[in-house]
């Protein structure tokens, strides 16, 4: 799964990233890998990783407008950053679920992602 977050300064983003870190064992058991991305510079991303003990990849320096053009994510105009956006991908990289936020709230949570992955697997196995 891919998470776009507003930046290390955002308390809602921090809470979401911490939640995904806390759920890392459950997500790994479900076969879910998490990556996150923001417009933050390298120092801000490194500080965020260290502060929260994040073990999943955290990208930085995203071009918000280019990412939005490719994904449909919402962009805050001043200052420029990506609004919270989340994608759950299947093993082939196809988007299974996307969640777009136009502001601070409205984002994926780990329990929903793990539950969705289990549901999709069970129904795929039943239809095979």
């Amino acid at each position: 799964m891919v998470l776009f977050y507003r930046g290390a300064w955002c308390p809602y983003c921090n809470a979401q990233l911490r939640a995904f870190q806390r759920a890392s064992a459950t997500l790994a058991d479900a076969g879910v890998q998490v990556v996150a991305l923001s417009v933050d510079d390298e120092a801000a991303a490194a500080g965020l990783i260290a502060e929260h003990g994040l073990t999943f990849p955290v990208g930085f320096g995203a071009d918000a407008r280019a990412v939005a053009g490719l994904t449909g994510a919402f962009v805050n105009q001043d200052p420029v950053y990506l609004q919270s956006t989340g994608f759950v991908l299947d093993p082939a990289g196809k988007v299974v679920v996307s969640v777009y936020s136009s502001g601070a709230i409205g984002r994926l949570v780990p329990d929903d992602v793990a539950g969705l992955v289990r549901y999709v697997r069970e129904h795929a196995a039943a239809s095979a």
Side-chain angles (χ1 to χ4, degrees):
M1 72 165 302
V2 179
L3 299 171
F4 300 157
Y5 67 98
R6 299 167 86 205
W9 54 267
C10 174
Y12 299 103
C13 299
N14 279 263
Q16 181 188 36
L17 296 172
R18 281 192 312 267
F20 275 92
Q21 182 59 46
R22 283 191 308 271
S24 60
T26 300
L27 293 169
D29 288 346
V32 177
Q33 297 176 344
V34 178
V35 297
L37 176 68
S38 79
V39 301
D40 281 348
D41 62 23
E42 185 175 7
L48 178 80
I49 292 165
E51 180 180 351
H52 301 302
L54 303 178
T55 58
F56 50 83
V58 177
F60 58 88
D63 178 326
R65 290 186 180 90
V67 170
L70 292 170
T71 65
F74 294 101
V75 174
N76 188 75
Q77 296 304 319
D78 187 25
V80 175
Y81 58 81
L82 293 163
Q83 294 289 3
S84 176
T85 309
F87 301 100
V88 179
L89 310 175
D90 70 11
K94 178 183 172 195
V95 175
V96 176
V97 168
S98 55
V99 176
Y100 294 87
S101 177
S102 59
I105 61 172
R107 44 192 82 224
L108 287 171
V109 295
D111 287 345
D112 289 348
V113 172
L116 172 69
V117 169
R118 283 191 296 273
Y119 176 85
V120 169
R121 282 203 180 122
E122 289 168 4
H123 284 80
S127 66

